[in-house]
Amino acid sequence: MVATKRRSPTSTLVSKDSISGASSALKDLPEKPKEIWSLREAISLLKDQIILALDRVYLYRGFADAFLKRC
């Protein structure tokens, strides 16, 4: 026996015009500057400075200590 799909009684139907209007509203939102980054993103942003500090013979532990004191 083949089962038929039935729509949930709580599902909501959305018109094409509503989707189009929502899409336009989302596209019109102004860009919001980012103020908080993940640790991975922060390290990526600081990569060049980290490499420069390590090239200056800072040990990883000393570098981490200096970094954490400033944060």
Side-chain angles (χ1 to χ4, degrees):
M1 187 165 143
V2 176
T4 58
K5 284 188 171 184
R6 300 182 78 177
R7 191 178 330 183
S8 167
T10 59
S11 65
T12 302
L13 301 176
V14 181
S15 71
K16 184 176 180 179
D17 288 341
S18 293
I19 294 171
S20 201
S23 176
S24 294
L26 290 169
K27 286 178 188 174
D28 292 340
L29 288 173
E31 189 170 333
K32 188 175 179 183
K34 191 169 183 174
E35 296 180 11
I36 297 176
W37 291 264
S38 70
L39 180 58
R40 183 181 302 256
E41 291 169 320
I43 290 172
S44 179
L45 291 169
L46 296 168
K47 179 181 161 190
D48 292 339
Q49 292 89 343
I50 292 170
I51 291 170
L52 182 60
L54 292 173
D55 286 346
R56 291 181 185 160
V57 194
Y58 275 92
L59 299 176
Y60 282 97
R61 183 67 196 171
F63 173 74
D65 289 342
F67 177 76
L68 292 174
K69 286 178 186 176
R70 298 191 91 194
C71 291

